[in-house]
Structure formats: structure tokens, C-alpha cells
Amino acid sequence: MYPIIHKEFLAPTLGKFIIKAPFIARKRQPGNFVILRVEETGERIPLTLVDSDPANGTITLIVQAIGKTTKLLLTKKAGDVLTDVAGPLGSPTPIENHGAVACVGGGVGTAELLPITRALKQAGNVVYSIVGARNKELIILEKDMYEISDRLFVTTDDGTYGRKGFVTDQLKDLIEGGLGIKAVYAIGPLPMMKAVANLTKNYGVHTLVSLNAIMVDGTGMCGGCRVTIDGQMKFACVDGPEFDAHKVDFDELIMRNRTYVDLEKISIERFEQEQVKLQEALS
Amino acid sequence: MNYVNPMKPSERMKLPRQHSIEQDAEIRSHNFKEVSYGVNEALAMQEVQRCLECKDPVCISGCPVSIDIKSFIQYILKKDFVGAVNKIRESNYLPAICGRVCPQESQCEEICTLGKKHEPVAIGKLERFVADYEMQHNLFVPPVIKESREEKVAIVGSGPSGLTCAAELAKLGYKVTVFEALHAVGGVLRYGIPEFRLPRNILDMEAERIKALGVEIITNFLVGRTATIDELFDEWGFKAVFLGTGAGTPTFMGIPGESLSGVYSANEFLTRVNLMKAYDFPNYDTPIKYGKAVAVIGGGNTAMDAVRTSKRLGAEKAYLIYRRSRKEMPAREEEIHHAEEEGIEFVLLTNPIRIVSDVNNWVSGIECQRMELGEPDESGRRKPVPVKGSEYIIPVQTVIEAIGQKPNPIIQQTTQGLDVSKRGTVVVNEVQATSREGIFAGGDLARGGATVILAMRDGKTAASAIHEYLLSKHNGKKQAIPEPFAELTVA
């Protein structure tokens, strides 16, 4: 059992959790993730490790309510326990001093980008960060990213905050701006990562993306997270989750990630009905 | 040795072999309840009358863990069922599991003296009967552990080899910790073998009995990531490690269309159903997608499990596509027979060459070509050769590939000095010692894909070797770690 020590909302659909998991806290590296199960009947889902505190034996996760499991997770609060948390999983991000790098986060992907950005800064890079989202409400960790970046840029699709437009608009300006950016780390929704990959390919700038494929065990056992990298089959859970963006078949992964949309809808509807009943019973 | 059974051997030979009571094939092909109920007490008592109580019971040499079969049958003859199961447990700590999943027909029963002219004694069904009897009547008493030892031993993986090794070491008095990467105990017994062959209460019970020996089991702990082998030695204080991490990495055929939605490895398909209970979606959250027509590729036990599972989930057409003929199938005869009874359609001498899709990137069919058998290959089986111009498409919405697994490489990649073969298996010697001092390995990790009982034998062999190793260390003797001589392989 894995107790939740602290929980706060970063936005109405975004929650930050600090969870007791001492073994994982000791070994976490940037780029690692965990597989968790909220309750006995739950599914196993992968979530990126945002931070850890080995001294206190805790890990930090940031969760956006999208599917049933993440919606359920957001109803949990400090004192509740999670049935299972396994990790740290995945290969850690290769961190090196490139000189100047750009870190690009989209939506909740910014949470996954934070530990990598911090490590890149500590490795001596000049770090240009871009944080983007659909609207102001979904911009997260702006302050945290600001503190560990040499410069931070914010974009929103609707222009409610920062620059109106996409992260790629800002990234293009940075690459063309003569800052000597040698590498790009981009984490966010698949269409965003695909757009970043297409952009940086034109400039020949090395780019890493983190692929959020569907996983069951997260240990290389099921092959559900298989992705095509440079024509080769790879498992995102053990070979990744980070890959050279210019070699990823994004369209295939976008299609594969739609496999369960109809069943996910059934799960969500059922969950929301249960929540309504629960509220009625409580009031 | 006196005979327990007063009947003359000639009379015993006339008795017919007793058969398990089974769920009706049509009914069971729509549920996940156990196919076989085994034999009841009356049938078991009739069956033991058939044993010739041979002076030289050859059946024992057919058992990979050398169960004293004759003795346990004699206990049954005396109606001492608990005595019988305890006799089995001296050699095999998981009788309820082995009585269900062991291929007895190619082991003890194959060489049973009675089987030369008649049908062999149903040894497996008797093993299961006494194990079930003990459970149903709540008669289990954990073995007395006579001494306690200081040394801690780590077991990596809670599958059949790991659990057996853990039990044997615990009986010797060692402090044993089992590390399991998943959230539930059992390894392939949990994620791979379906409930209709091995009910989960049986598995849970056997796991509880391991714990009753004082074995600690830590789940959600992926050795290699949560802690490395070196950390287990240096920081956790373990004095020896047994690796039983199995062969859990799926392989794919490498044909076009494998990334389509609706294509599963058998591992993923079975894990979703067995471990995550996707058959009970949405009561359980893990989804699974299957069409009206499902094609499973392969001819082994895993393929049988996957295709029979598909049928139970509700597939109207469940095809098993295999490139050789029925005779060459590596699956157990009993599993093939059960699959046929349940209406599985065998598409033999047929090889898939491409998976085709609809506009939504979903599987819509599998293109195959007919094969014919040519000359024997290195495995001794006749090699299938494609028939030119025989390509055709079978319309299916789900494709499950069950063409074999290989070891998960995480531990091999994170442990220095561990010799690994080209096939990814960990190299061991005749006592399951690896190339690194204090590290032993067995089961599918060393064999690359074999049976539950062979994994258990490895666990047992390794436990004895670990005991000797730790004794030699303790006494300050120079320990002789034999050189790995060859990779053990099992076809």
C-alpha cells in the first residue's frame, strides 16, 4: 500500500500528489516513470515521476484527469492509499552538456519535462524553455520552470496568456534566433511532439520526445507499447520512453493510442454516474 | 516391500483408467470456470487399484522433481490422503498446481509400466486429487522448520522456479525474500495460464503456503530497476540470489500490419484477461478488444490458452493458425483436445504473411499462404514450405501472436559479469550456478521457454546448490563454483 502524503490541485483537472514509495524515491532518475493501480479493480497506468525526496521516501506525480483512472485518482486526497506503485521504470533520459538546449512542454507534459529540464541545467546547459497549453488555466509549473531555465516562454492556443499560438511558433523563433540551440527535449500531446519533430528536422537539431504509449505491465512483458522507430519495433516501456523524434512513426502511435476510445468512454460514463450517486448519498 | 493392494497384478491390469469429470464443452467455452473438476474420491480409489506397485517404480524417473509416486499412491490405497500429499510435498511444494498443468503424458505416465500394454495410471489426476482434498478439508499443516540460518537469500521472480526455490530454502531455515515486479504473485502462473486451467484460488492458496514457511514476498519490485542485483548484495545484505524471471518478452513474426489496432502478443492478451480480469470489464477497468472472428498464430500451449480465451470472451469464430500439421504442435495433447471440443477451428499447414486493415487502422483480416511439409529441420520436425500461389485472406478483427517468448533483458543489462547466450538466456551449469559467484538462475530465464515442472526442478536444484554454497562460505572453505559448461536447452 502506498499512502498519499500530500495532494493539491494545480488546475481544476490537474492534481499534484506526493506519495510514500521509499524504494522508488531512492532510485528515481529524470525520465523514469511508475506504473500505478489506484484500487484492486483498477487498471495499471504509467505516470512520469516528476520529482522524488529520497530522505523522506516520497515521489511526486502530476496527473491530468483524462481517463477513468486519472479522474478517480484526482478524487483521492492525503491519507488515502494507492493499491500499487511500481518503478522507477523506463530508461533514464540521457543528460549531457550540449551548450544550449530548448525544453518544450505541452499541457501536462510540462510536468514530465520539469525533472529533465532541471538535470539539463545542472549539466551546464543554457536552457531555453517553452511552456504551452490550450489556455491559461492549463499552463502549469510556470514558476518551477522559470527558476531552472535561463529564459522561459509561454504560449497558449487561444492567447489567454503569453504568446498566442503554438509552442512550435516560439521554438522556430528560438532556433532561427542564433542562440546555438543544439538539442530539443519536447514532451506533450502526440500532435505537438510530431509538430516539433517536423520543425526541428528541417534545421537538423537533435530532438528527444517521450512517448506515452498504452502500457499494461511497463516492464517489457506485453508489447502493447510497441512503437516504430526508424522502421524497427521498440517497446516504449523499456527501450524508451524517450526516442529520437526524427525517427518516430507518430501517425502509427496516434492510431494505436485510439484503440480503446470506445471502451474508455464506457468506463468514464460509469465512473461519473457513480460519482453523482456518491454525491447524492453524501448530501 | 509388501503390496498394499491385495489384488493380483493381472486383475489390476483389467481395470479401466478413470477419467476426470469435466464441464460440458459447449457450456465451458463461454465461461472462465475450471474445465476439469478432476477425479473425486470414489474415482481416485478405483484408479489407485490399477497401480502395479512395481518393485522398481520407473515412473519416478519420469518425474522432473522425482516425486515418490509409488509411495503416494500407496498412501491413497490406505486412504491416507494427507499422508499422500505430504509425501508429494517432500519433492514438490506445489502439488495442486502440478496436478493441473504438468504434462504427465510425456513424463511419469509415459513410462508407467502399466502403460506398456494398457493405459497408464492417471498419476497427475491422483496428485491433483490429494492436493484438492487437503485444501477442501483444510488439513494443511506447514512443515516443521528444524533450524534457522542467518543468511538472507533473494529470489527474483515469483513464478514456478522462484516459488519452489524459496520454499526449499525456507525449509532449510534461510531467510528468504521473493521480489515480484507485478502486483500479484505467481509469474506466468498468474499472467499466462488462464483461470479455466488453473483457478486463482488454487494459486493464491499455494502462495499462502509459501508464506507460511516464513518467506517474505515483496510485490511491485522490479529487480534491475527498483534495486539492482549488486544493491541486493551490498545494501540489502543478501548472501545469494536466485534469478527466476522467466521468458516474458514477447516476440513478433515481423510481418506487415503488426502495429494495427487489434493485434496483440499472446502475453498482452492473456495478461489483460488473466492478471487484469479484462473479461469482467467494466467491473474491472482494464479493457480488451476482440472481434467476432479472432485468429491466434502458433501451436504451443500459449496459443491454445489464447484461442480458448478468445472463445470464452465471445468470439464467434476462433481460429488457430499453425504452419505445420497437428502432429507437430508443441502443445499438450490434452490442451489440443480440449480446444477441439470447444469448437476452435484449426487452420493447419498455413502461415500468415500479412495483417490487413480497414480504413480506421483496425485489423480486418489475415493473409495466409498454404504450406506443405518438406525435409526435417534441426528440431527434427518436418520443415514447412510455402505452396506458391496459395495466398488467401481470412476475415478476422483480432490477431494474437503466440509464437514464443524470450527472457526479459533488464537484469542481464544491469548486472555485470552475468554470461548471457545469444538467445538472451542466462547461462547456467548443472547446479544452476551462473557465471557470477552467488547468483543462480533457472526456469525459462535459463531454458528460454519450457514447462512449469522443469522450472520447478531448476528451483529445487538451485536451492540445494545455494545451500552448499552458503555452507562452504560460512565454514570459510574455498568454495568451488563450477564453470558454466553449457547452456541447458529444452525443445
Side-chain angles (χ1 to χ4, degrees):
Chain A
M1 291 298 202
Y2 301 79
I4 298 169
I5 306 299
H6 171 84
K7 185 259 184 109
E8 65 182 287
F9 280 102
L10 301 180
T13 58
L14 267 174
K16 177 179 171 180
F17 292 85
I18 296 176
I19 297 160
K20 194 93 180 167
F23 301 150
I24 304 172
R26 279 181 67 188
K27 295 282 289 183
R28 178 203 68 96
Q29 289 177 272
N32 284 149
F33 64 94
V34 291
I35 289 268
L36 68 77
R37 221 163 52 117
V38 179
E39 56 188 18
E40 199 51 45
T41 56
E43 61 182 334
R44 294 169 64 98
I45 61 159
L47 289 170
T48 299
L49 283 156
V50 176
D51 203 354
S52 63
D53 180 346
N56 285 314
T58 60
I59 57 170
T60 304
L61 303 176
I62 291 177
V63 183
Q64 184 169 30
I66 301 170
K68 185 233 158 138
T69 301
T70 45
K71 283 175 191 278
L72 171 67
L73 189 50
L74 279 196
T75 67
K76 302 292 173 189
K77 45 195 190 304
D80 290 342
V81 290
L82 304 179
T83 306
D84 301 288
V85 183
L89 303 174
S91 303
T93 311
I95 300 291
E96 51 185 294
N97 189 350
H98 301 275
V101 296
C103 293
V104 186
V108 73
T110 303
E112 304 173 26
L113 189 69
L114 180 71
I116 296 166
T117 309
R118 185 178 289 132
L120 286 166
K121 180 67 196 163
Q122 283 167 355
N125 288 285
V126 177
V127 177
Y128 299 93
S129 294
I130 306 169
V131 170
R134 287 201 307 277
N135 56 46
K136 184 181 179 182
E137 199 173 61
L138 295 173
I139 293 287
I140 55 165
L141 301 171
E142 185 190 351
K143 187 166 165 285
D144 299 74
M145 286 294 285
Y146 176 79
E147 283 169 1
I148 55 172
S149 306
D150 291 272
R151 295 257 344 243
L152 175 74
F153 304 88
V154 177
T155 67
T156 52
D157 299 0
D158 64 358
T160 46
Y161 192 55
R163 174 174 174 170
K164 184 178 192 302
F166 299 119
V167 288
T168 39
D169 301 332
Q170 185 67 54
L171 182 61
K172 187 166 186 281
D173 289 354
L174 292 181
I175 293 172
E176 289 185 348
L179 301 166
I181 290 171
K182 291 285 186 301
V184 173
Y185 290 73
I187 308 181
L190 284 171
M192 180 212 101
M193 291 193 286
K194 183 184 168 185
V196 169
N198 288 341
L199 174 75
T200 58
K201 201 171 188 175
N202 294 335
Y203 298 96
V205 180
H206 177 65
T207 302
L208 273 186
V209 288
S210 178
L211 301 182
N212 51 337
I214 296 171
M215 294 180 189
V216 183
D217 60 289
T219 66
M221 215 186 80
C222 79
C225 66
R226 59 191 184 275
V227 289
T228 302
I229 309 296
D230 209 11
Q232 300 284 315
M233 186 191 289
K234 298 281 178 192
F235 293 172
C237 67
V238 286
D239 299 321
E242 283 151 19
F243 294 99
D244 181 340
H246 301 152
K247 294 179 177 170
V248 174
D249 186 337
F250 283 101
D251 292 336
E252 179 189 285
L253 182 57
I254 289 168
M255 294 290 237
R256 278 187 68 76
N257 277 7
R258 287 187 197 141
T259 300
Y260 298 103
V261 276
D262 52 341
L263 296 177
E264 280 164 6
K265 209 171 144 218
I266 293 173
S267 266
I268 290 171
E269 279 168 9
R270 189 177 143 117
F271 172 71
E272 284 171 349
Q273 283 164 9
E274 283 167 3
Q275 290 300 108
V276 170
K277 275 187 204 156
L278 197 67
Q279 291 305 319
E280 283 170 3
L282 288 173
S283 60
Chain B
M1 165 100 201
N2 293 327
Y3 291 118
V4 175
N5 187 353
M7 224 183 261
K8 282 185 191 155
S10 57
E11 289 170 23
R12 301 184 200 191
M13 287 187 210
K14 287 179 195 153
L15 299 172
R17 179 174 157 119
Q18 300 302 313
H19 295 281
S20 294
I21 305 161
E22 288 177 355
Q23 255 201 90
D24 175 78
E26 168 54 25
I27 295 170
R28 74 172 190 245
S29 68
H30 301 290
N31 69 47
F32 281 87
K33 292 184 194 139
E34 193 169 17
V35 167
S36 170
Y37 300 118
V39 293
N40 59 23
E41 187 176 331
L43 294 173
M45 289 313 296
Q46 285 183 48
E47 183 61 23
V48 283
Q49 307 297 324
R50 302 179 64 237
C51 178
L52 299 175
E53 299 178 74
C54 302
K55 280 208 175 65
D56 175 23
V58 287
C59 51
I60 298 174
S61 63
C63 174
V65 296
S66 308
I67 292 173
D68 188 345
I69 295 164
K70 178 178 161 182
S71 287
F72 100 71
I73 285 183
Q74 289 179 326
Y75 274 107
I76 302 177
L77 278 164
K78 291 185 264 188
K79 281 206 149 191
D80 180 356
F81 304 140
V82 174
V85 73
N86 284 334
K87 178 51 74 179
I88 298 172
R89 206 173 275 117
E90 284 174 12
S91 314
N92 171 357
Y93 203 72
L94 306 168
I97 292 172
C98 288
R100 286 173 164 81
V101 303
C102 247
Q104 291 96 7
E105 68 280 358
S106 58
Q107 298 174 3
C108 52
E109 294 181 18
E110 187 177 40
I111 56 172
C112 168
T113 311
L114 189 63
K116 283 177 187 154
K117 287 188 177 166
H118 307 273
E119 281 194 282
V121 175
I123 299 165
K125 295 187 172 56
L126 294 170
E127 178 182 29
R128 173 179 165 172
F129 164 70
V130 292
D132 286 2
Y133 182 93
E134 182 198 49
M135 180 182 65
Q136 281 152 14
H137 296 83
N138 210 14
L139 296 168
F140 173 73
V141 181
V144 179
I145 297 168
K146 296 186 186 90
E147 47 194 338
S148 162
R149 295 173 201 275
E150 281 303 300
E151 293 98 334
K152 286 165 59 178
V153 182
I155 308 287
V156 186
S158 70
S161 71
L163 290 182
T164 302
C165 191
E168 296 301 322
L169 288 166
K171 285 197 276 183
L172 290 165
Y174 290 101
K175 294 180 173 59
V176 182
T177 303
V178 178
F179 295 96
E180 168 55 51
L182 294 174
H183 58 260
V185 179
V188 72
L189 303 169
R190 175 79 58 179
Y191 72 77
I193 298 180
E195 295 191 30
F196 58 83
R197 286 213 287 135
L198 178 62
R200 291 309 176 250
N201 65 325
I202 301 287
L203 183 53
D204 292 341
M205 177 202 70
E206 296 276 36
E208 284 307 312
R209 289 179 179 180
I210 303 276
K211 288 186 199 162
L213 294 170
V215 171
E216 177 188 29
I217 301 182
I218 302 179
T219 53
N220 295 319
F221 198 111
L222 179 65
V223 174
R225 294 266 194 254
T226 316
T228 62
I229 297 287
D230 287 310
E231 287 165 343
L232 292 182
F233 280 116
D234 301 340
E235 296 173 21
W236 291 63
F238 288 102
K239 300 296 179 207
V241 173
F242 175 76
L243 304 176
T245 52
T249 301
T251 50
F252 290 86
M253 293 186 77
I255 58 175
E258 286 175 325
S259 295
L260 296 169
S261 290
V263 181
Y264 288 101
S265 71
N267 262 16
E268 180 181 3
F269 190 78
L270 291 169
T271 300
R272 284 179 180 270
V273 176
N274 298 337
L275 175 71
M276 306 309 297
K277 299 189 191 291
Y279 63 84
D280 197 11
F281 178 89
N283 291 324
Y284 282 80
D285 292 334
T286 303
I288 194 155
K289 293 278 279 194
Y290 50 91
K292 283 184 175 167
V294 175
V296 175
I297 305 165
N301 287 321
T302 307
M304 294 300 154
D305 287 343
V307 76
R308 295 171 70 197
T309 296
S310 307
K311 187 84 182 173
R312 281 161 173 76
L313 287 170
E316 289 166 18
K317 292 260 182 198
Y319 301 104
L320 185 115
I321 302 176
Y322 181 56
R323 63 200 179 113
R324 303 182 206 238
S325 71
R326 189 186 187 285
K327 203 169 67 185
E328 285 84 18
M329 278 191 180
R332 280 186 73 189
E333 174 56 34
E334 183 176 272
E335 306 307 327
I336 299 171
H337 173 68
H338 278 151
E340 285 171 337
E341 280 186 340
E342 290 165 12
I344 303 305
E345 293 178 46
F346 285 61
V347 185
L348 302 173
L349 285 165
T350 301
N351 195 39
I353 49 175
R354 184 169 68 104
I355 304 166
V356 292
S357 70
D358 64 14
V359 289
N360 296 316
N361 218 47
W362 263 93
V363 173
S364 64
I366 184 158
E367 185 172 356
C368 299
Q369 63 185 172
R370 299 269 187 220
M371 309 295 276
E372 56 192 15
L373 292 178
E375 296 298 307
D377 64 10
E378 59 274 16
S379 74
R381 297 180 296 181
R382 290 177 66 193
K383 195 182 156 86
V385 186
V387 177
K388 274 191 186 140
S390 66
E391 293 81 9
Y392 71 113
I393 291 176
I394 306 174
V396 294
Q397 299 79 42
T398 308
V399 170
I400 301 165
E401 295 195 27
I403 59 155
Q405 285 90 241
K406 53 188 185 205
N408 190 314
I410 291 176
I411 287 177
Q412 297 86 304
Q413 288 166 355
T414 55
T415 312
Q416 296 265 310
L418 203 58
D419 284 358
V420 178
S421 77
K422 277 182 194 157
R423 295 187 305 140
T425 53
V426 169
V427 180
V428 294
N429 69 6
E430 72 281 7
V431 296
Q432 307 301 133
T434 69
S435 54
R436 251 193 71 178
E437 184 186 329
I439 304 180
F440 298 76
D444 283 357
L445 173 66
R447 293 173 178 274
T451 58
V452 168
I453 189 69
L454 287 172
M456 289 172 55
R457 178 170 76 183
D458 293 350
K460 232 181 120 171
T461 306
S464 306
I466 289 168
H467 181 45
E468 276 183 34
Y469 167 71
L470 292 174
L471 282 180
S472 70
K473 283 286 267 196
H474 191 73
N475 296 339
K477 287 179 200 157
K478 197 183 170 201
Q479 65 278 352
I481 303 297
E483 290 294 311
F485 70 98
E487 185 186 338
L488 288 176
T489 52
V490 170

